[in-house]
Amino acid sequence: MATFLYKLGRLSFRRRHFVALIWVALLTLAGVGAASAPAAGNSSFSIPGTEAQKAFDLLEQRFPGTSADGATARVVFKAPSGEKMTDPGNKATVQDTVKELSDGSEVVRVTDPYQAKAVSKDGTIAYAQVSYKVSGMELDDSAKDALKDSAQDARKAGLTVEIGGDALQAVPHTGSSEVIGIAVAAVVLVITFGSLVAAGLPLLTALIGVGIGVSAITGLASALDLGTTTSTLAMMIGLAVGIDYALFIVSRYRAELAEGREREEAAGRAVGTAGSAVVFAGLTVVIALVGLSVVNIPMLTKMGIAAAGTVAIAVLIALTMVPALLGYAGRKVKPMGEKGKFLGRAKKEQDRPAKPNLGTRWASFVVRRPLAVLLLGVIGLGAAAVPATSLELGLPDDGSQSTSTTQRRAYDLLSEGFGPGFNGPLMVVVDAKNSDDPKAVFSETGDEIKGLKDVVTVTPAQPNKAGDTATITVVPGSKPSSVTTENLVHGIRDAGADIKADTDANVLVTGSTAMNIDVSEKLNDALVPYLVLVVGLAFLLLIVVFRSILVPLKAALGFLLSVMAALGAVVAVFQWGWLSGLMGVEQTGPVMSMMPIFMVGVVFGLAMDYEVFLVTRMREAYVHGEKPAQAVVTGFRHGARVVTAAAVIMMAVFAGFIGSSESMVKMIGFGLAIAVFFDAFIVRMAIVPAVLALLGRKAWWLPKWLDRALPNVDVEGEGLRTRTDRGDEDRELVRA
């Protein structure tokens, strides 16, 4: 592989005009496609195989034309102090608002609070529910404006009015902190390279790669039913890996220049060596992201595949466009140790006495005290992982939004007037098509549910026109995300199993609360198979890369420490509320259901990046004759500074998304940033060298039969060294 990539790097350097033209053309094509594509609607959220999804599908069949997937809005009214919503003046205001809301072209129906008995017991709070034909993301701005205007008119009459539901759903924004993350990355690159030109290359190539990836996602969003979060996460991961991959190749290029090689040769060798690590690191990330499809949640699958595609583009750009741009930069990219004009007069390290860099000094310390460093690192990560033992999972709802939003205030008003469970009603669907007496089944089901714990209200069954299917609304006594509500859902399902045995009728529980519970359970069940698949495939890949059994095993165990510590930090901030103000978390609650499995996938891929980049330099030194302990120090001398810069850049990019208005993006941004910190600076910089120092030559042991069976991918570039040595001999003969 190293020889092939070496030739690719040299070709890209020589044919830089052609390479640059191809990538600019792809960016232009993707941009035009994104601009001309129809606007994406709200991504459908389906969970195949769950009871909640089966009930939803049954409703679509048995209750046609009800717009079950349409947007809804709850307009919540609260009377002024000392008044009630049943007072004539307040009642007239509400009825005028209902009439005004009914005039919308996209409105299916509006319930009158006084006819639907949607007034609280104390008479101070009432609500009207508005149902629309289309989803919240497809709703016209005029319909949203009409909803807001109607609420404002009622406010002028003296009522407190807030709007809940998904009708006012907006595209999430990431805020200015994303730009700050990129700015931090730029500063780190300038410090690392000492040159504006060298620092600008990784940023430019990463932005081009992300531009192509996100534009392609935007262009295909409508056709493939991609949600708004898909492009945000692809941008987050694409930026991070795009900068890092280019950083490693540019750094290796400067090191090759420092050894006296010509620029084209240096570009070829940089792509042949560092590029090999980029390919395998990218493969581990792609495996982890595409592996999310085993969970069988379409939204998660699409997010993973879209992000994997962006990573693949980042790898291709690093292998081709980076050497092409190095050809354009010429002498503006200085050899390693030589500063550009931006940081002062050019001066080479060899002109002054050699001084071990920080990476060398740190590695030497770890090699002398490996057991102490290992124990300290493991204990520290173990302590950080302790909060993960109290992990609670759920999906965000209006109750997790900022108190400054009207959706959150409407949520709080409904809880105040009707109880905490009112914001998460359960819909029970009774399919009595195979029963002899459907009406009796509907009545029996309602009575069974009334006898369960934590049930506040059970509405009479509402049958369809055929009379073979009915819906029953159940209002729990606890909030939607509580364990008590989860137990109630399981209680209804257990009662439904008994009813089916007696009457042959199916009783299904659905609604947003039941769907959230089913998602959490499905994700929990999929976590172990996903770990086995992803870690197993990456383990095999790393055996090929490092030609060792213990090094990949150590890499996988180190990853588990990182991800558990990161989950502990997420629980501490988003569930317990530690430092929540600093992170902009206004409402603590359960951790998003897909967070653990998503973090496992993404963090594993990113963790293997640092493993490959750092340990390949150690193996390269070991293969070339150095002792195991010295090889560790050599690997750090060449790679520690670059890996540190890469980790800081990745942390900055991920942390930039903490400013997002979308709670899911905010949580993922924080989780990935802290995971990179744990993995890069504690696992890869401390635990890995300590373990390698303790293992010595055993770290690189591989059974002979397996060594013969494995393909030789030559990540260390041994073939290039042989090639160079042969070329040097030929030149000596010519001189002779």
Side-chain angles (χ1 to χ4, degrees):
M1 175 177 285
T3 303
F4 169 76
L5 293 178
Y6 165 80
K7 294 178 180 178
L8 179 63
R10 293 195 62 168
L11 179 65
S12 299
F13 188 95
R14 285 197 309 271
R15 307 295 185 190
R16 47 188 171 274
H17 303 309
F18 180 68
V19 172
L21 183 62
I22 289 177
W23 284 112
V24 171
L26 288 174
L27 178 61
T28 304
L29 183 64
V32 171
S36 59
N42 189 28
S43 178
S44 59
F45 187 81
S46 62
I47 313 295
T50 61
E51 181 172 316
Q53 186 64 45
K54 291 177 183 176
F56 184 81
D57 295 339
L58 185 64
L59 286 174
E60 291 285 315
Q61 297 173 10
R62 304 288 174 85
F63 292 83
T66 56
S67 299
D69 59 345
T72 59
R74 277 180 171 176
V75 183
V76 188
F77 307 89
K78 183 175 183 179
S81 180
E83 299 181 18
K84 293 188 176 182
M85 291 306 304
T86 51
D87 293 346
N90 294 335
K91 186 174 182 179
T93 299
V94 172
Q95 290 177 330
D96 289 342
T97 303
V98 170
K99 183 178 179 182
E100 186 178 348
L101 289 170
S102 301
D103 294 336
S105 60
E106 293 181 315
V107 174
V108 176
R109 60 184 174 277
V110 182
T111 60
D112 186 317
Y114 303 101
Q115 295 179 3
K117 298 181 180 179
V119 181
S120 62
K121 290 182 179 180
D122 62 4
T124 60
I125 297 174
Y127 73 92
Q129 182 150 319
V130 187
S131 301
Y132 293 90
K133 299 176 183 177
V134 296
S135 65
M137 295 299 290
E138 297 170 319
L139 201 61
D140 287 342
D141 290 338
S142 59
K144 296 180 181 181
D145 292 339
L147 183 61
K148 295 175 184 177
D149 292 342
S150 299
Q152 188 59 35
D153 292 340
R155 291 189 187 104
K156 291 178 181 178
L159 298 177
T160 298
V161 186
E162 304 296 346
I163 305 171
D166 61 351
L168 296 182
Q169 184 176 5
V171 177
H173 61 274
T174 55
S176 59
S177 55
E178 177 189 346
V179 179
I180 295 174
I182 297 176
V184 171
V187 172
V188 173
L189 287 169
V190 171
I191 294 173
T192 302
F193 290 136
S195 165
L196 285 176
V197 175
L201 289 180
L203 280 177
L204 177 61
T205 54
L207 289 173
I208 291 174
V210 167
I212 294 172
V214 172
S215 296
I217 291 170
T218 304
L220 297 172
S222 179
L224 300 181
D225 191 27
L226 303 178
T228 54
T229 310
T230 304
S231 59
T232 305
L233 295 176
M235 181 189 303
M236 180 192 303
I237 296 171
L239 267 177
V241 300
I243 294 174
D244 277 8
Y245 294 165
L247 165 65
F248 280 102
I249 289 180
V250 174
S251 177
R252 187 61 183 251
Y253 171 76
R254 296 178 70 232
E256 296 295 336
L257 288 178
E259 293 183 10
R261 292 187 174 87
E262 295 296 327
R263 294 186 178 274
E264 183 179 326
E265 176 69 15
R269 290 184 63 86
V271 175
T273 51
S276 297
V278 165
V279 169
F280 282 99
L283 273 176
T284 58
V285 179
V286 169
I287 288 172
L289 291 171
V290 173
L292 291 171
S293 58
V294 303
V295 185
N296 197 27
I297 295 180
M299 184 183 77
L300 195 59
T301 299
K302 293 171 186 176
M303 287 165 55
I305 293 175
T310 307
V311 171
I313 292 172
V315 171
L316 292 174
I317 283 184
L319 299 178
T320 57
M321 192 168 188
V322 169
L325 292 180
L326 289 172
Y328 282 117
R331 298 186 179 279
K332 292 180 180 179
V333 176
K334 306 293 182 181
M336 186 75 72
E338 185 176 338
K339 302 296 184 181
K341 294 180 180 179
F342 180 73
L343 291 182
R345 183 174 62 84
K347 192 172 186 179
K348 294 186 177 180
E349 287 183 356
Q350 55 263 38
D351 295 338
R352 53 178 179 257
K355 179 182 177 182
N357 60 22
L358 181 60
T360 303
R361 296 196 299 272
W362 168 250
S364 299
F365 170 78
V366 174
V367 168
R368 290 195 304 270
R369 301 285 188 272
L371 188 58
V373 172
L374 175 62
L375 291 176
L376 187 61
V378 171
I379 291 172
L381 290 177
V386 169
T389 58
S390 62
L391 176 68
E392 295 177 10
L393 299 177
L395 287 178
D397 55 18
D398 286 348
S400 63
Q401 295 199 36
S402 168
T403 52
S404 62
T405 63
T406 186
Q407 292 95 328
R408 171 61 189 279
R409 292 195 292 264
Y411 181 97
D412 292 340
L413 284 176
L414 289 172
S415 295
E416 177 187 341
F418 301 92
F422 193 79
N423 282 293
L426 306 174
M427 179 177 288
V428 179
V429 182
V430 185
D431 178 9
K433 190 173 184 177
N434 298 326
S435 301
D436 297 332
D437 189 355
K439 290 184 178 180
V441 173
F442 301 154
S443 178
E444 179 185 350
T445 303
D447 292 339
E448 285 286 338
I449 295 172
K450 288 177 183 177
L452 299 176
K453 293 181 180 180
D454 201 48
V455 173
V456 174
T457 305
V458 178
T459 64
Q462 301 293 322
N464 62 350
K465 290 183 180 180
D468 59 5
T469 307
T471 60
I472 301 173
T473 301
V474 181
V475 178
S478 304
K479 63 181 182 178
S481 58
S482 67
V483 177
T484 307
T485 300
E486 182 178 347
N487 293 335
L488 174 59
V489 170
H490 290 302
I492 296 174
R493 288 172 174 170
D494 291 341
D498 295 336
I499 293 172
K500 179 176 176 60
D502 295 337
T503 65
D504 204 25
N506 287 318
V507 178
L508 307 173
V509 185
T510 188
S512 60
T513 301
M515 183 70 82
N516 291 352
I517 292 170
D518 286 351
V519 169
S520 298
E521 292 179 352
K522 190 176 182 71
L523 288 166
N524 285 337
D525 293 341
L527 185 56
V528 173
Y530 175 71
L531 268 173
V532 172
L533 173 68
V534 173
V535 177
L537 287 176
F539 180 78
L540 295 176
L541 187 65
L542 292 178
I543 289 178
V544 174
V545 174
F546 296 126
R547 308 195 77 79
S548 164
I549 297 293
L550 296 180
V551 170
L553 180 61
K554 171 263 308 171
L557 294 176
F559 149 73
L560 291 176
L561 279 173
S562 299
V563 78
M564 288 304 298
L567 277 176
V570 169
V571 170
V573 173
F574 291 88
Q575 188 175 310
W576 292 359
W578 293 5
L579 302 177
S580 57
L582 182 63
M583 298 296 165
V585 180
E586 297 188 20
Q587 178 65 32
T588 59
V591 173
M592 182 184 63
S593 297
M594 63 181 66
M595 188 69 188
I597 201 163
F598 188 82
M599 279 191 65
V600 165
V602 177
V603 174
F604 181 77
L606 299 179
M608 294 306 102
D609 278 2
Y610 302 117
E611 181 75 14
V612 170
F613 289 131
L614 193 59
V615 180
T616 48
R617 292 306 294 259
M618 298 179 189
R619 174 163 176 78
E620 183 177 345
Y622 177 75
V623 167
H624 293 154
E626 293 188 7
K627 293 181 179 180
Q630 183 58 40
V632 171
V633 176
T634 301
F636 266 75
R637 182 173 70 250
H638 291 297
R641 177 171 179 165
V642 181
V643 169
T644 300
V648 171
I649 289 169
M650 198 171 278
M651 287 168 56
V653 172
F654 288 148
F657 288 83
I658 296 175
S660 173
S661 62
E662 179 69 37
S663 59
M664 184 172 82
V665 176
K666 180 190 292 287
M667 189 179 294
I668 289 177
F670 171 79
L672 294 183
I674 197 70
V676 168
F677 171 78
F678 287 145
D679 195 84
F681 293 106
I682 299 180
V683 174
R684 308 303 154 188
M685 290 289 186
I687 294 178
V688 165
V691 171
L692 290 178
L694 288 171
L695 291 175
R697 294 186 182 277
K698 295 178 182 177
W700 309 108
W701 172 79
L702 186 69
K704 291 183 179 180
W705 64 268
L706 185 57
D707 187 32
R708 291 191 297 268
L710 292 177
N712 184 13
V713 295
D714 189 22
V715 177
E716 300 84 16
E718 183 64 27
L720 299 183
R721 173 173 292 226
T722 304
R723 180 192 189 99
T724 303
D725 293 342
R726 188 166 57 246
D728 291 341
E729 291 174 3
D730 292 342
R731 283 191 290 274
E732 290 294 332
L733 289 173
V734 170
R735 291 193 190 100

